[in-house]
Amino acid sequence: MSATLWTRIQKFLGITADGIPGNQTAQAVAARLGIDAATPAATPSSATIDPRSAANIATLKPEAQMKAREWLLKCLEAGINVKIITGTRTYQEQAALYAKGRTAPGPKVTNAPPGYSWHNFGVGWDFVVFDANDQPLWESPLMERCGRIAESLGLEWGGSWKSFQDIPHIQLKQDCTLAEARQMVSSGKWWS
Ligand SMILES: [Zn+2]
């Protein structure tokens, strides 16, 4: 359904007409239909996770998978066309990336050798917002909105980092350091 139609429905219901059907719209529709709004009706949302995001989510640790799904659905329900474009990178994959611009051709793409990125530990993912033609919008203000949604769910957003801002990055808050995580990986305790 188009945003224009939702806007008209919302205007008709006398609520904020932002064209994005969320909880408020559901409640207003329920009230109009005489359904007890205290029993929250299912949010009328057609939000589904795209295959690329789903594949990347599948590479994360179970608790990160849950949060990534929750975050992504929240963004989609807000009408943002966002996808998870990176999940976990194995040490081997990180090594290949780190080699670029050093021992392999091309420009440098990362400063993190294997074990020095939270992507190597199944707790972080990268996202980008897409336009209607599936072109990535790295500079879109919606990137920040997705980051703020992550923070509202208790996640860490790279856009709030002080020393090195990483706007497309989200991760579970960790109570250990990367060095401790590496130690746990080598003693077989991290992924279990
Ligand atoms: Zn990242």
Side-chain angles (χ1 to χ4, degrees):
M1 201 186 286
S2 73
T4 323
L5 185 50
W6 277 117
T7 306
R8 286 175 60 196
I9 291 168
Q10 289 165 332
K11 272 192 193 140
F12 174 79
L13 294 167
I15 56 171
T16 313
D18 59 359
I20 302 163
N23 249 331
Q24 202 194 15
T25 309
Q27 298 281 319
V29 170
R32 183 66 59 141
L33 293 173
I35 299 166
D36 183 8
T39 329
T43 307
S45 167
S46 55
T48 49
I49 293 177
D50 67 283
R52 183 179 181 181
S53 298
N56 283 318
I57 291 171
T59 67
L60 303 172
K61 287 180 93 176
E63 64 265 38
Q65 291 194 17
M66 252 173 48
K67 291 303 271 187
R69 243 181 250 117
E70 187 185 356
W71 164 80
L72 186 56
L73 286 171
K74 222 171 166 185
C75 294
L76 295 173
E77 279 162 13
I80 305 169
N81 181 18
V82 60
K83 289 176 188 167
I84 295 179
I85 54 163
T86 308
T88 299
R89 279 194 294 271
T90 62
Y91 276 31
Q92 287 86 344
E93 288 165 340
Q94 189 71 34
L97 208 61
Y98 186 70
K100 283 185 189 171
R102 293 183 175 88
T103 54
K108 284 184 187 177
V109 289
T110 182
N111 286 319
Y116 287 76
S117 160
W118 283 111
H119 283 286
N120 305 146
F121 300 93
V123 295
W125 60 91
D126 294 336
F127 67 93
V128 69
V129 169
F130 288 87
D131 69 12
N133 300 316
D134 250 354
Q135 294 304 305
L137 302 171
W138 295 100
E139 308 294 327
S140 166
L142 291 173
M143 293 291 289
E144 175 170 357
R145 194 143 161 240
C146 292
R148 297 295 176 207
I149 289 173
E151 289 182 328
S152 77
L153 295 171
L155 290 161
E156 194 171 320
W157 174 44
S160 288
W161 289 346
K162 297 284 172 284
S163 52
F164 169 72
Q165 270 204 350
D166 191 358
I167 289 170
H169 181 92
I170 293 171
Q171 66 181 59
L172 283 189
K173 281 183 183 150
Q174 297 300 307
D175 50 15
C176 69
T177 63
L178 277 166
E180 288 165 338
R182 285 194 295 277
Q183 190 55 48
M184 285 172 82
V185 166
S186 47
S187 57
K189 286 186 203 136
W190 185 263
W191 295 95
S192 58

